[in-house]
Amino acid sequence: MGKDVIVACDFASGREALAFLDRFAGEERKPFVKIGMELFYAEGPQIVREIKGRGHQIFLDLKLHDIPNTVMKAMRVLSGLEVDLVNLHAAGTVAMMEAALAGLTRADGTRPLLIAVTQLTSTDQHSMEEDLLIREPIDQVVMHYARRAKAAGLDGVVCSPLESGKVKEACGAGFLTVTPGVRFADGDAGDQKRVMTPAQAKEIGSDYIVVGRPITGAADPIAAYRRCVAEFVG
Ligand code: C5P
């Protein structure tokens, strides 16, 4: 797996998601697709099989967080769906992350890539202190979680493109950074506060960018996808 653009298929139904992906049928490059909670909870594992069956790679963004035994068993099920990339919350502890890896690993030793969410970008210093009783500066918390994910044997983290460089410094160039918050230079940021263009994300070393509305909401999604690929993959 190399650098790629992951299209966030944030649709409420399988019908809408498949109709969107139908538009890419003539494309030589099949988009890497992110399936999140909304679509997965609406349609269940069948939507994963359906999109996988059409030849797309899949990032299943379900952000698991539970006791290690439960996460291990859930990951075993996800591994059977042949997804390519899955995630969990680093806050679940190293023990939970190690259990997740064990559950993901198939009998033949293969497994999907596993990455960790550090601190959600919806969490800020104030909410971290008030709600979670974590007093350290948020950037240090993010880096600590990244290092714990690395220690547990995970493949990388989801992070802001602005954090990508620091994560690579702390955890090594091979530790994957998957970055949402991507916008075209002439596009609308919407509710994303800290954004980067695909070209900037490439420059700072992100391995994957996750792009939703700039592609799904574009008048011409194919052109928007091609532009992302041209800027980010080259
Ligand atoms: O539409 P947009 O490009 O903002 O979509 C970004 C995608 O990345 C969404 O699926 C969103 O849930 C996800 N994401 C994010 N910020 C995070 C983690 C995930 O935007 N910190």
Side-chain angles (χ1 to χ4, degrees):
M1 295 171 99
K3 276 189 183 293
D4 211 344
V5 174
I6 302 179
V7 181
C9 271
D10 294 324
F11 296 103
S13 73
R15 189 181 48 74
E16 288 167 89
L18 294 175
F20 172 75
L21 292 175
D22 279 344
R23 306 176 70 158
F24 292 83
E27 285 296 284
E28 201 177 312
R29 185 186 189 98
K30 288 216 181 270
F32 198 129
V33 169
K34 180 172 91 84
I35 298 176
M37 290 183 199
E38 184 186 18
L39 186 55
F40 189 79
Y41 291 150
E43 302 289 348
Q46 190 49 37
I47 191 66
V48 177
R49 295 190 190 97
E50 173 84 36
I51 294 175
K52 190 79 196 165
R54 293 172 169 221
H56 297 274
Q57 294 189 80
I58 293 180
F59 169 20
L60 193 53
D61 178 18
L62 298 181
K63 300 186 180 72
L64 277 70
H65 188 172
D66 207 318
I67 61 171
N69 184 56
T70 300
V71 169
M72 179 181 70
K73 290 199 240 171
M75 286 293 187
R76 188 168 293 154
V77 176
L78 300 185
S79 175
L81 286 176
E82 302 293 332
V83 293
D84 300 280
L85 183 59
V86 291
N87 62 359
L88 45 62
H89 277 281
T93 74
V94 165
M96 188 201 79
M97 292 192 269
E98 288 173 344
L101 270 181
L104 270 187
T105 306
R106 306 181 184 105
D108 64 2
T110 62
R111 63 167 175 80
L113 292 172
L114 179 61
I115 59 175
V117 174
T118 54
Q119 276 293 342
L120 291 170
T121 44
S122 52
T123 309
D124 61 11
Q125 188 71 38
H126 177 77
S127 56
M128 215 177 56
E129 290 180 12
E130 287 300 308
D131 298 334
L132 309 177
L133 215 61
I134 299 173
R135 306 259 182 240
E136 307 298 321
I138 194 161
D139 52 338
Q140 284 181 30
V141 174
V142 167
M143 295 311 299
H144 179 67
Y145 280 154
R147 283 192 290 267
R148 298 308 282 161
K150 166 91 176 166
L154 267 66
D155 303 296
V157 289
V158 185
C159 63
S160 141
L162 300 159
E163 292 159 352
S164 208
K166 275 193 193 156
V167 168
K168 295 272 187 191
E169 264 171 42
C171 300
F175 196 63
L176 300 176
T177 55
V178 178
T179 60
V182 174
R183 292 292 180 267
F184 293 121
D186 52 1
D188 178 11
D191 56 357
Q192 295 284 17
K193 300 271 186 293
R194 301 188 303 151
V195 298
M196 263 195 191
T197 66
Q200 287 168 330
K202 176 185 184 173
E203 209 160 288
I204 52 101
S206 294
D207 295 284
Y208 297 90
I209 51 174
V210 179
V211 189
R213 289 159 292 179
I215 295 176
T216 56
D220 184 348
I222 309 285
Y225 174 68
R226 284 185 186 157
R227 180 177 173 191
C228 265
V229 171
E231 278 192 34
F232 183 67
V233 184

mmCIF file of all heavy atoms in Angstrom, residues 133-178:
data_model
loop_
_atom_site.group_PDB
_atom_site.id
_atom_site.type_symbol
_atom_site.label_atom_id
_atom_site.label_comp_id
_atom_site.label_asym_id
_atom_site.label_seq_id
_atom_site.Cartn_x
_atom_site.Cartn_y
_atom_site.Cartn_z
ATOM 1 N N LEU A 133 -10.124 15.048 32.814
ATOM 2 C CA LEU A 133 -9.158 15.292 33.889
ATOM 3 C C LEU A 133 -7.723 15.036 33.430
ATOM 4 O O LEU A 133 -6.891 14.535 34.167
ATOM 5 C CB LEU A 133 -9.492 14.437 35.121
ATOM 6 C CG LEU A 133 -9.213 15.055 36.475
ATOM 7 C CD1 LEU A 133 -10.027 16.329 36.694
ATOM 8 C CD2 LEU A 133 -9.510 14.058 37.590
ATOM 9 N N ILE A 134 -7.466 15.364 32.161
ATOM 10 C CA ILE A 134 -6.097 15.270 31.627
ATOM 11 C C ILE A 134 -5.551 16.689 31.573
ATOM 12 O O ILE A 134 -6.116 17.555 30.913
ATOM 13 C CB ILE A 134 -6.090 14.637 30.208
ATOM 14 C CG1 ILE A 134 -6.656 13.219 30.255
ATOM 15 C CG2 ILE A 134 -4.670 14.644 29.639
ATOM 16 C CD1 ILE A 134 -6.849 12.584 28.878
ATOM 17 N N ARG A 135 -4.457 16.919 32.311
ATOM 18 C CA ARG A 135 -3.954 18.286 32.476
ATOM 19 C C ARG A 135 -2.801 18.637 31.526
ATOM 20 O O ARG A 135 -2.384 19.780 31.469
ATOM 21 C CB ARG A 135 -3.476 18.500 33.909
ATOM 22 C CG ARG A 135 -4.529 18.153 34.946
ATOM 23 C CD ARG A 135 -5.200 19.415 35.488
ATOM 24 N NE ARG A 135 -6.177 19.077 36.508
ATOM 25 C CZ ARG A 135 -7.463 19.378 36.420
ATOM 26 N NH1 ARG A 135 -7.933 20.016 35.367
ATOM 27 N NH2 ARG A 135 -8.296 19.038 37.387
ATOM 28 N N GLU A 136 -2.231 17.670 30.850
ATOM 29 C CA GLU A 136 -1.085 17.945 29.971
ATOM 30 C C GLU A 136 -1.536 18.729 28.736
ATOM 31 O O GLU A 136 -2.695 18.633 28.331
ATOM 32 C CB GLU A 136 -0.459 16.620 29.494
ATOM 33 C CG GLU A 136 -0.088 15.649 30.596
ATOM 34 C CD GLU A 136 0.960 16.216 31.533
ATOM 35 O OE1 GLU A 136 1.872 16.896 31.054
ATOM 36 O OE2 GLU A 136 0.818 15.993 32.750
ATOM 37 N N PRO A 137 -0.603 19.449 28.079
ATOM 38 C CA PRO A 137 -0.949 20.134 26.828
ATOM 39 C C PRO A 137 -1.411 19.123 25.774
ATOM 40 O O PRO A 137 -0.825 18.032 25.669
ATOM 41 C CB PRO A 137 0.362 20.801 26.401
ATOM 42 C CG PRO A 137 1.200 20.845 27.629
ATOM 43 C CD PRO A 137 0.791 19.689 28.487
ATOM 44 N N ILE A 138 -2.420 19.482 25.001
ATOM 45 C CA ILE A 138 -3.053 18.522 24.089
ATOM 46 C C ILE A 138 -2.075 17.952 23.057
ATOM 47 O O ILE A 138 -2.134 16.768 22.729
ATOM 48 C CB ILE A 138 -4.316 19.136 23.437
ATOM 49 C CG1 ILE A 138 -5.144 18.043 22.766
ATOM 50 C CG2 ILE A 138 -3.977 20.250 22.462
ATOM 51 C CD1 ILE A 138 -6.588 18.423 22.489
ATOM 52 N N ASP A 139 -1.131 18.773 22.583
ATOM 53 C CA ASP A 139 -0.192 18.222 21.586
ATOM 54 C C ASP A 139 0.698 17.157 22.200
ATOM 55 O O ASP A 139 1.062 16.177 21.546
ATOM 56 C CB ASP A 139 0.618 19.343 20.909
ATOM 57 C CG ASP A 139 1.295 20.259 21.895
ATOM 58 O OD1 ASP A 139 0.852 20.325 23.052
ATOM 59 O OD2 ASP A 139 2.278 20.905 21.505
ATOM 60 N N GLN A 140 1.017 17.313 23.503
ATOM 61 C CA GLN A 140 1.820 16.274 24.163
ATOM 62 C C GLN A 140 1.001 14.999 24.373
ATOM 63 O O GLN A 140 1.530 13.894 24.320
ATOM 64 C CB GLN A 140 2.350 16.781 25.491
ATOM 65 C CG GLN A 140 3.519 17.740 25.314
ATOM 66 C CD GLN A 140 4.072 18.223 26.646
ATOM 67 O OE1 GLN A 140 4.023 17.511 27.647
ATOM 68 N NE2 GLN A 140 4.573 19.438 26.665
ATOM 69 N N VAL A 141 -0.292 15.185 24.636
ATOM 70 C CA VAL A 141 -1.176 14.024 24.820
ATOM 71 C C VAL A 141 -1.269 13.244 23.503
ATOM 72 O O VAL A 141 -1.167 12.014 23.479
ATOM 73 C CB VAL A 141 -2.577 14.475 25.310
ATOM 74 C CG1 VAL A 141 -3.543 13.299 25.359
ATOM 75 C CG2 VAL A 141 -2.468 15.129 26.675
ATOM 76 N N VAL A 142 -1.430 13.980 22.404
ATOM 77 C CA VAL A 142 -1.509 13.342 21.085
ATOM 78 C C VAL A 142 -0.230 12.549 20.802
ATOM 79 O O VAL A 142 -0.276 11.386 20.396
ATOM 80 C CB VAL A 142 -1.743 14.410 19.980
ATOM 81 C CG1 VAL A 142 -1.509 13.835 18.595
ATOM 82 C CG2 VAL A 142 -3.153 14.975 20.098
ATOM 83 N N MET A 143 0.928 13.159 21.076
ATOM 84 C CA MET A 143 2.192 12.470 20.813
ATOM 85 C C MET A 143 2.371 11.267 21.724
ATOM 86 O O MET A 143 2.893 10.234 21.311
ATOM 87 C CB MET A 143 3.372 13.442 20.987
ATOM 88 C CG MET A 143 3.390 14.571 19.983
ATOM 89 S SD MET A 143 3.193 13.999 18.290
ATOM 90 C CE MET A 143 4.610 12.979 18.162
ATOM 91 N N HIS A 144 1.920 11.393 22.970
ATOM 92 C CA HIS A 144 2.030 10.265 23.904
ATOM 93 C C HIS A 144 1.195 9.081 23.399
ATOM 94 O O HIS A 144 1.664 7.947 23.365
ATOM 95 C CB HIS A 144 1.568 10.691 25.297
ATOM 96 C CG HIS A 144 1.623 9.587 26.309
ATOM 97 N ND1 HIS A 144 2.808 9.039 26.741
ATOM 98 C CD2 HIS A 144 0.637 8.882 26.936
ATOM 99 C CE1 HIS A 144 2.562 8.062 27.603
ATOM 100 N NE2 HIS A 144 1.246 7.953 27.739
ATOM 101 N N TYR A 145 -0.036 9.368 22.975
ATOM 102 C CA TYR A 145 -0.890 8.296 22.462
ATOM 103 C C TYR A 145 -0.272 7.662 21.207
ATOM 104 O O TYR A 145 -0.353 6.450 21.016
ATOM 105 C CB TYR A 145 -2.283 8.833 22.127
ATOM 106 C CG TYR A 145 -3.206 9.005 23.317
ATOM 107 C CD1 TYR A 145 -4.239 9.945 23.292
ATOM 108 C CD2 TYR A 145 -3.078 8.222 24.457
ATOM 109 C CE1 TYR A 145 -5.105 10.110 24.364
ATOM 110 C CE2 TYR A 145 -3.940 8.383 25.534
ATOM 111 C CZ TYR A 145 -4.952 9.333 25.485
ATOM 112 O OH TYR A 145 -5.799 9.485 26.553
ATOM 113 N N ALA A 146 0.336 8.497 20.372
ATOM 114 C CA ALA A 146 0.971 7.956 19.154
ATOM 115 C C ALA A 146 2.100 7.000 19.544
ATOM 116 O O ALA A 146 2.225 5.911 18.980
ATOM 117 C CB ALA A 146 1.497 9.098 18.282
ATOM 118 N N ARG A 147 2.905 7.415 20.523
ATOM 119 C CA ARG A 147 4.011 6.533 20.951
ATOM 120 C C ARG A 147 3.486 5.256 21.593
ATOM 121 O O ARG A 147 4.062 4.177 21.423
ATOM 122 C CB ARG A 147 4.942 7.286 21.922
ATOM 123 C CG ARG A 147 5.883 8.264 21.205
ATOM 124 C CD ARG A 147 6.976 8.775 22.154
ATOM 125 N NE ARG A 147 6.397 9.652 23.153
ATOM 126 C CZ ARG A 147 6.327 10.987 23.031
ATOM 127 N NH1 ARG A 147 6.844 11.591 21.995
ATOM 128 N NH2 ARG A 147 5.770 11.712 23.981
ATOM 129 N N ARG A 148 2.395 5.336 22.326
ATOM 130 C CA ARG A 148 1.815 4.122 22.942
ATOM 131 C C ARG A 148 1.259 3.185 21.861
ATOM 132 O O ARG A 148 1.351 1.960 21.959
ATOM 133 C CB ARG A 148 0.696 4.474 23.945
ATOM 134 C CG ARG A 148 1.138 5.302 25.113
ATOM 135 C CD ARG A 148 2.333 4.732 25.832
ATOM 136 N NE ARG A 148 2.001 3.620 26.719
ATOM 137 C CZ ARG A 148 2.895 2.727 27.165
ATOM 138 N NH1 ARG A 148 4.141 2.794 26.777
ATOM 139 N NH2 ARG A 148 2.518 1.757 27.976
ATOM 140 N N ALA A 149 0.674 3.774 20.816
ATOM 141 C CA ALA A 149 0.178 2.956 19.700
ATOM 142 C C ALA A 149 1.334 2.238 19.015
ATOM 143 O O ALA A 149 1.254 1.055 18.679
ATOM 144 C CB ALA A 149 -0.572 3.840 18.699
ATOM 145 N N LYS A 150 2.426 2.964 18.848
ATOM 146 C CA LYS A 150 3.630 2.377 18.239
ATOM 147 C C LYS A 150 4.154 1.247 19.140
ATOM 148 O O LYS A 150 4.503 0.161 18.655
ATOM 149 C CB LYS A 150 4.673 3.489 18.075
ATOM 150 C CG LYS A 150 6.060 3.033 17.786
ATOM 151 C CD LYS A 150 6.330 2.944 16.318
ATOM 152 C CE LYS A 150 7.802 2.578 16.084
ATOM 153 N NZ LYS A 150 8.072 2.154 14.748
ATOM 154 N N ALA A 151 4.183 1.494 20.465
ATOM 155 C CA ALA A 151 4.677 0.477 21.395
ATOM 156 C C ALA A 151 3.818 -0.784 21.348
ATOM 157 O O ALA A 151 4.312 -1.902 21.528
ATOM 158 C CB ALA A 151 4.705 1.046 22.816
ATOM 159 N N ALA A 152 2.528 -0.603 21.106
ATOM 160 C CA ALA A 152 1.617 -1.754 21.051
ATOM 161 C C ALA A 152 1.745 -2.520 19.731
ATOM 162 O O ALA A 152 1.167 -3.594 19.587
ATOM 163 C CB ALA A 152 0.176 -1.273 21.243
ATOM 164 N N GLY A 153 2.482 -1.946 18.791
ATOM 165 C CA GLY A 153 2.681 -2.649 17.516
ATOM 166 C C GLY A 153 1.744 -2.205 16.406
ATOM 167 O O GLY A 153 1.689 -2.837 15.345
ATOM 168 N N LEU A 154 1.012 -1.096 16.625
ATOM 169 C CA LEU A 154 0.095 -0.619 15.578
ATOM 170 C C LEU A 154 0.865 -0.022 14.394
ATOM 171 O O LEU A 154 2.057 0.251 14.485
ATOM 172 C CB LEU A 154 -0.873 0.431 16.148
ATOM 173 C CG LEU A 154 -2.210 -0.166 16.647
ATOM 174 C CD1 LEU A 154 -1.994 -1.061 17.851
ATOM 175 C CD2 LEU A 154 -3.196 0.938 16.982
ATOM 176 N N ASP A 155 0.151 0.174 13.306
ATOM 177 C CA ASP A 155 0.795 0.634 12.073
ATOM 178 C C ASP A 155 0.823 2.146 11.933
ATOM 179 O O ASP A 155 1.543 2.657 11.073
ATOM 180 C CB ASP A 155 0.039 0.045 10.871
ATOM 181 C CG ASP A 155 0.007 -1.472 10.936
ATOM 182 O OD1 ASP A 155 1.094 -2.072 10.867
ATOM 183 O OD2 ASP A 155 -1.082 -2.055 11.102
ATOM 184 N N GLY A 156 0.025 2.868 12.721
ATOM 185 C CA GLY A 156 0.006 4.314 12.579
ATOM 186 C C GLY A 156 -1.122 4.942 13.355
ATOM 187 O O GLY A 156 -1.756 4.295 14.208
ATOM 188 N N VAL A 157 -1.379 6.211 13.054
ATOM 189 C CA VAL A 157 -2.449 6.964 13.733
ATOM 190 C C VAL A 157 -3.244 7.804 12.736
ATOM 191 O O VAL A 157 -2.758 8.126 11.652
ATOM 192 C CB VAL A 157 -1.897 7.928 14.818
ATOM 193 C CG1 VAL A 157 -1.384 7.176 16.025
ATOM 194 C CG2 VAL A 157 -0.839 8.867 14.260
ATOM 195 N N VAL A 158 -4.455 8.132 13.141
ATOM 196 C CA VAL A 158 -5.228 9.174 12.466
ATOM 197 C C VAL A 158 -4.820 10.473 13.135
ATOM 198 O O VAL A 158 -4.813 10.541 14.368
ATOM 199 C CB VAL A 158 -6.751 9.006 12.690
ATOM 200 C CG1 VAL A 158 -7.523 10.040 11.878
ATOM 201 C CG2 VAL A 158 -7.203 7.611 12.357
ATOM 202 N N CYS A 159 -4.443 11.480 12.382
ATOM 203 C CA CYS A 159 -4.084 12.749 13.014
ATOM 204 C C CYS A 159 -4.330 13.901 12.063
ATOM 205 O O CYS A 159 -4.551 13.691 10.869
ATOM 206 C CB CYS A 159 -2.626 12.743 13.480
ATOM 207 S SG CYS A 159 -1.421 12.568 12.167
ATOM 208 N N SER A 160 -4.303 15.095 12.616
ATOM 209 C CA SER A 160 -4.419 16.293 11.778
ATOM 210 C C SER A 160 -3.186 16.344 10.875
ATOM 211 O O SER A 160 -2.096 15.960 11.290
ATOM 212 C CB SER A 160 -4.485 17.517 12.698
ATOM 213 O OG SER A 160 -3.749 18.569 12.135
ATOM 214 N N PRO A 161 -3.342 16.861 9.649
ATOM 215 C CA PRO A 161 -2.155 16.952 8.796
ATOM 216 C C PRO A 161 -1.057 17.799 9.445
ATOM 217 O O PRO A 161 0.117 17.589 9.200
ATOM 218 C CB PRO A 161 -2.671 17.610 7.511
ATOM 219 C CG PRO A 161 -4.098 17.937 7.709
ATOM 220 C CD PRO A 161 -4.561 17.322 8.982
ATOM 221 N N LEU A 162 -1.465 18.706 10.344
ATOM 222 C CA LEU A 162 -0.477 19.559 11.001
ATOM 223 C C LEU A 162 0.365 18.785 12.022
ATOM 224 O O LEU A 162 1.434 19.229 12.419
ATOM 225 C CB LEU A 162 -1.191 20.728 11.699
ATOM 226 C CG LEU A 162 -1.996 21.605 10.743
ATOM 227 C CD1 LEU A 162 -3.057 22.388 11.475
ATOM 228 C CD2 LEU A 162 -1.068 22.532 9.982
ATOM 229 N N GLU A 163 -0.132 17.621 12.450
ATOM 230 C CA GLU A 163 0.599 16.812 13.431
ATOM 231 C C GLU A 163 1.451 15.735 12.770
ATOM 232 O O GLU A 163 2.258 15.075 13.426
ATOM 233 C CB GLU A 163 -0.395 16.119 14.379
ATOM 234 C CG GLU A 163 -1.132 17.066 15.301
ATOM 235 C CD GLU A 163 -2.430 16.478 15.836
ATOM 236 O OE1 GLU A 163 -2.845 15.391 15.373
ATOM 237 O OE2 GLU A 163 -3.047 17.118 16.686
ATOM 238 N N SER A 164 1.244 15.543 11.466
ATOM 239 C CA SER A 164 1.864 14.430 10.764
ATOM 240 C C SER A 164 3.390 14.400 10.914
ATOM 241 O O SER A 164 3.966 13.350 11.226
ATOM 242 C CB SER A 164 1.491 14.533 9.284
ATOM 243 O OG SER A 164 1.486 13.284 8.697
ATOM 244 N N GLY A 165 4.026 15.540 10.731
ATOM 245 C CA GLY A 165 5.485 15.613 10.800
ATOM 246 C C GLY A 165 6.006 15.224 12.171
ATOM 247 O O GLY A 165 6.959 14.447 12.289
ATOM 248 N N LYS A 166 5.376 15.731 13.216
ATOM 249 C CA LYS A 166 5.825 15.441 14.593
ATOM 250 C C LYS A 166 5.651 13.961 14.919
ATOM 251 O O LYS A 166 6.475 13.357 15.599
ATOM 252 C CB LYS A 166 5.009 16.266 15.590
ATOM 253 C CG LYS A 166 5.554 17.655 15.795
ATOM 254 C CD LYS A 166 4.894 18.263 17.022
ATOM 255 C CE LYS A 166 5.156 19.757 17.081
ATOM 256 N NZ LYS A 166 4.153 20.465 17.843
ATOM 257 N N VAL A 167 4.550 13.378 14.439
ATOM 258 C CA VAL A 167 4.313 11.951 14.690
ATOM 259 C C VAL A 167 5.415 11.133 14.019
ATOM 260 O O VAL A 167 5.970 10.207 14.613
ATOM 261 C CB VAL A 167 2.917 11.513 14.172
ATOM 262 C CG1 VAL A 167 2.787 10.000 14.153
ATOM 263 C CG2 VAL A 167 1.815 12.139 15.015
ATOM 264 N N LYS A 168 5.761 11.489 12.808
ATOM 265 C CA LYS A 168 6.830 10.773 12.087
ATOM 266 C C LYS A 168 8.160 10.908 12.835
ATOM 267 O O LYS A 168 8.923 9.961 12.945
ATOM 268 C CB LYS A 168 6.977 11.324 10.665
ATOM 269 C CG LYS A 168 5.771 11.102 9.775
ATOM 270 C CD LYS A 168 5.854 9.775 9.062
ATOM 271 C CE LYS A 168 4.739 9.634 8.054
ATOM 272 N NZ LYS A 168 4.625 8.266 7.523
ATOM 273 N N GLU A 169 8.432 12.111 13.352
ATOM 274 C CA GLU A 169 9.675 12.331 14.103
ATOM 275 C C GLU A 169 9.739 11.420 15.326
ATOM 276 O O GLU A 169 10.757 10.830 15.628
ATOM 277 C CB GLU A 169 9.730 13.774 14.619
ATOM 278 C CG GLU A 169 10.504 14.730 13.743
ATOM 279 C CD GLU A 169 10.328 16.160 14.217
ATOM 280 O OE1 GLU A 169 10.351 16.406 15.447
ATOM 281 O OE2 GLU A 169 10.111 17.034 13.342
ATOM 282 N N ALA A 170 8.610 11.322 16.034
ATOM 283 C CA ALA A 170 8.588 10.559 17.282
ATOM 284 C C ALA A 170 8.503 9.047 17.055
ATOM 285 O O ALA A 170 9.042 8.269 17.836
ATOM 286 C CB ALA A 170 7.400 11.009 18.142
ATOM 287 N N CYS A 171 7.807 8.639 15.995
ATOM 288 C CA CYS A 171 7.499 7.213 15.856
ATOM 289 C C CYS A 171 8.163 6.575 14.635
ATOM 290 O O CYS A 171 8.009 5.375 14.414
ATOM 291 C CB CYS A 171 5.988 7.002 15.783
ATOM 292 S SG CYS A 171 5.116 7.587 17.247
ATOM 293 N N GLY A 172 8.855 7.375 13.834
ATOM 294 C CA GLY A 172 9.553 6.814 12.675
ATOM 295 C C GLY A 172 8.799 7.063 11.382
ATOM 296 O O GLY A 172 7.570 7.166 11.368
ATOM 297 N N ALA A 173 9.563 7.145 10.293
ATOM 298 C CA ALA A 173 8.982 7.482 8.986
ATOM 299 C C ALA A 173 7.992 6.413 8.516
ATOM 300 O O ALA A 173 7.056 6.703 7.778
ATOM 301 C CB ALA A 173 10.093 7.652 7.960
ATOM 302 N N GLY A 174 8.185 5.174 8.959
ATOM 303 C CA GLY A 174 7.329 4.074 8.505
ATOM 304 C C GLY A 174 5.993 4.007 9.239
ATOM 305 O O GLY A 174 5.120 3.211 8.879
ATOM 306 N N PHE A 175 5.851 4.801 10.300
ATOM 307 C CA PHE A 175 4.611 4.812 11.086
ATOM 308 C C PHE A 175 3.590 5.662 10.333
ATOM 309 O O PHE A 175 3.818 6.851 10.091
ATOM 310 C CB PHE A 175 4.911 5.390 12.468
ATOM 311 C CG PHE A 175 3.864 5.139 13.510
ATOM 312 C CD1 PHE A 175 3.555 3.848 13.914
ATOM 313 C CD2 PHE A 175 3.210 6.203 14.119
ATOM 314 C CE1 PHE A 175 2.599 3.619 14.903
ATOM 315 C CE2 PHE A 175 2.253 5.981 15.099
ATOM 316 C CZ PHE A 175 1.957 4.682 15.491
ATOM 317 N N LEU A 176 2.475 5.056 9.942
ATOM 318 C CA LEU A 176 1.534 5.699 9.025
ATOM 319 C C LEU A 176 0.793 6.867 9.665
ATOM 320 O O LEU A 176 0.378 6.792 10.828
ATOM 321 C CB LEU A 176 0.489 4.696 8.543
ATOM 322 C CG LEU A 176 0.992 3.462 7.794
ATOM 323 C CD1 LEU A 176 -0.179 2.526 7.489
ATOM 324 C CD2 LEU A 176 1.695 3.877 6.503
ATOM 325 N N THR A 177 0.625 7.926 8.893
ATOM 326 C CA THR A 177 -0.249 9.019 9.318
ATOM 327 C C THR A 177 -1.382 9.149 8.297
ATOM 328 O O THR A 177 -1.144 9.271 7.103
ATOM 329 C CB THR A 177 0.511 10.354 9.454
ATOM 330 O OG1 THR A 177 1.174 10.636 8.232
ATOM 331 C CG2 THR A 177 1.524 10.310 10.569
ATOM 332 N N VAL A 178 -2.586 9.059 8.811
ATOM 333 C CA VAL A 178 -3.796 9.128 7.989
ATOM 334 C C VAL A 178 -4.499 10.409 8.399
ATOM 335 O O VAL A 178 -4.860 10.571 9.571
ATOM 336 C CB VAL A 178 -4.686 7.888 8.245
ATOM 337 C CG1 VAL A 178 -5.968 7.968 7.430
ATOM 338 C CG2 VAL A 178 -3.911 6.613 7.923
#
